[in-house]
PDB file of all heavy atoms in Angstrom:
ATOM      1  N   TYR A 578     152.851 127.077  57.286  1.00 94.00           N
ATOM      2  CA  TYR A 578     152.673 125.750  56.712  1.00 94.00           C
ATOM      3  C   TYR A 578     153.586 124.741  57.415  1.00 94.00           C
ATOM      4  O   TYR A 578     154.556 125.109  58.082  1.00 94.00           O
ATOM      5  CB  TYR A 578     152.995 125.771  55.204  1.00 94.00           C
ATOM      6  CG  TYR A 578     152.004 126.594  54.416  1.00 94.00           C
ATOM      7  CD1 TYR A 578     152.113 127.985  54.360  1.00 94.00           C
ATOM      8  CD2 TYR A 578     150.949 125.977  53.773  1.00 94.00           C
ATOM      9  CE1 TYR A 578     151.187 128.741  53.663  1.00 94.00           C
ATOM     10  CE2 TYR A 578     150.021 126.730  53.063  1.00 94.00           C
ATOM     11  CZ  TYR A 578     150.141 128.109  53.011  1.00 94.00           C
ATOM     12  OH  TYR A 578     149.223 128.842  52.332  1.00 94.00           O
ATOM     13  N   LYS A 579     153.266 123.467  57.229  1.00 93.00           N
ATOM     14  CA  LYS A 579     154.137 122.401  57.717  1.00 93.00           C
ATOM     15  C   LYS A 579     154.360 121.398  56.594  1.00 93.00           C
ATOM     16  O   LYS A 579     153.470 121.202  55.740  1.00 93.00           O
ATOM     17  CB  LYS A 579     153.531 121.709  58.950  1.00 93.00           C
ATOM     18  CG  LYS A 579     152.192 121.054  58.680  1.00 93.00           C
ATOM     19  CD  LYS A 579     151.641 120.341  59.900  1.00 93.00           C
ATOM     20  CE  LYS A 579     150.322 119.650  59.564  1.00 93.00           C
ATOM     21  NZ  LYS A 579     149.707 118.928  60.658  1.00 93.00           N
ATOM     22  N   PHE A 580     155.543 120.778  56.622  1.00 96.00           N
ATOM     23  CA  PHE A 580     155.898 119.829  55.570  1.00 96.00           C
ATOM     24  C   PHE A 580     156.351 118.522  56.218  1.00 96.00           C
ATOM     25  O   PHE A 580     157.029 118.523  57.248  1.00 96.00           O
ATOM     26  CB  PHE A 580     157.032 120.413  54.713  1.00 96.00           C
ATOM     27  CG  PHE A 580     157.644 119.420  53.752  1.00 96.00           C
ATOM     28  CD1 PHE A 580     156.876 118.795  52.763  1.00 96.00           C
ATOM     29  CD2 PHE A 580     158.997 119.090  53.832  1.00 96.00           C
ATOM     30  CE1 PHE A 580     157.440 117.884  51.881  1.00 96.00           C
ATOM     31  CE2 PHE A 580     159.573 118.179  52.955  1.00 96.00           C
ATOM     32  CZ  PHE A 580     158.790 117.566  51.980  1.00 96.00           C
ATOM     33  N   ALA A 581     155.962 117.401  55.628  1.00 95.00           N
ATOM     34  CA  ALA A 581     156.413 116.093  56.118  1.00 95.00           C
ATOM     35  C   ALA A 581     156.659 115.166  54.935  1.00 95.00           C
ATOM     36  O   ALA A 581     155.976 115.249  53.916  1.00 95.00           O
ATOM     37  CB  ALA A 581     155.366 115.481  57.048  1.00 95.00           C
ATOM     38  N   VAL A 582     157.659 114.287  55.076  1.00 97.00           N
ATOM     39  CA  VAL A 582     157.940 113.297  54.048  1.00 97.00           C
ATOM     40  C   VAL A 582     158.580 112.090  54.731  1.00 97.00           C
ATOM     41  O   VAL A 582     159.191 112.230  55.795  1.00 97.00           O
ATOM     42  CB  VAL A 582     158.865 113.877  52.951  1.00 97.00           C
ATOM     43  CG1 VAL A 582     160.218 114.283  53.510  1.00 97.00           C
ATOM     44  CG2 VAL A 582     159.007 112.910  51.777  1.00 97.00           C
ATOM     45  N   SER A 583     158.417 110.887  54.148  1.00 96.00           N
ATOM     46  CA  SER A 583     158.892 109.672  54.819  1.00 96.00           C
ATOM     47  C   SER A 583     159.853 108.876  53.943  1.00 96.00           C
ATOM     48  O   SER A 583     159.759 108.902  52.714  1.00 96.00           O
ATOM     49  CB  SER A 583     157.699 108.784  55.192  1.00 96.00           C
ATOM     50  OG  SER A 583     156.861 109.458  56.104  1.00 96.00           O
ATOM     51  N   ILE A 584     160.748 108.161  54.624  1.00 97.00           N
ATOM     52  CA  ILE A 584     161.749 107.366  53.905  1.00 97.00           C
ATOM     53  C   ILE A 584     161.988 106.054  54.643  1.00 97.00           C
ATOM     54  O   ILE A 584     161.865 105.979  55.870  1.00 97.00           O
ATOM     55  CB  ILE A 584     163.085 108.149  53.782  1.00 97.00           C
ATOM     56  CG1 ILE A 584     164.062 107.449  52.813  1.00 97.00           C
ATOM     57  CG2 ILE A 584     163.746 108.335  55.145  1.00 97.00           C
ATOM     58  CD1 ILE A 584     165.270 108.307  52.459  1.00 97.00           C
ATOM     59  N   MET A 585     162.310 105.003  53.913  1.00 97.00           N
ATOM     60  CA  MET A 585     162.844 103.763  54.499  1.00 97.00           C
ATOM     61  C   MET A 585     163.885 103.199  53.541  1.00 97.00           C
ATOM     62  O   MET A 585     163.902 103.530  52.361  1.00 97.00           O
ATOM     63  CB  MET A 585     161.730 102.756  54.793  1.00 97.00           C
ATOM     64  CG  MET A 585     161.057 102.198  53.571  1.00 97.00           C
ATOM     65  SD  MET A 585     161.591 100.503  53.207  1.00 97.00           S
ATOM     66  CE  MET A 585     160.234  99.949  52.135  1.00 97.00           C
ATOM     67  N   GLY A 586     164.781 102.362  54.073  1.00 95.00           N
ATOM     68  CA  GLY A 586     165.804 101.787  53.210  1.00 95.00           C
ATOM     69  C   GLY A 586     166.894 101.128  54.028  1.00 95.00           C
ATOM     70  O   GLY A 586     166.719 100.885  55.228  1.00 95.00           O
ATOM     71  N   GLY A 587     168.026 100.845  53.372  1.00 90.00           N
ATOM     72  CA  GLY A 587     169.097 100.169  54.092  1.00 90.00           C
ATOM     73  C   GLY A 587     170.443 100.274  53.412  1.00 90.00           C
ATOM     74  O   GLY A 587     170.574 100.900  52.350  1.00 90.00           O
ATOM     75  N   ASP A 588     171.427  99.678  54.049  1.00 88.00           N
ATOM     76  CA  ASP A 588     172.811  99.621  53.540  1.00 88.00           C
ATOM     77  C   ASP A 588     173.346 101.008  53.199  1.00 88.00           C
ATOM     78  O   ASP A 588     174.071 101.179  52.217  1.00 88.00           O
ATOM     79  CB  ASP A 588     172.887  98.721  52.295  1.00 88.00           C
ATOM     80  CG  ASP A 588     172.423  97.316  52.602  1.00 88.00           C
ATOM     81  OD1 ASP A 588     172.767  96.805  53.681  1.00 88.00           O
ATOM     82  OD2 ASP A 588     171.691  96.738  51.776  1.00 88.00           O
TER      83      ASP A 588
END
Side-chain angles (χ1 to χ4, degrees):
Y578 293 81
K579 61 178 182 180
F580 170 60
V582 62
S583 298
I584 191 169
M585 67 104 161
D588 301 319

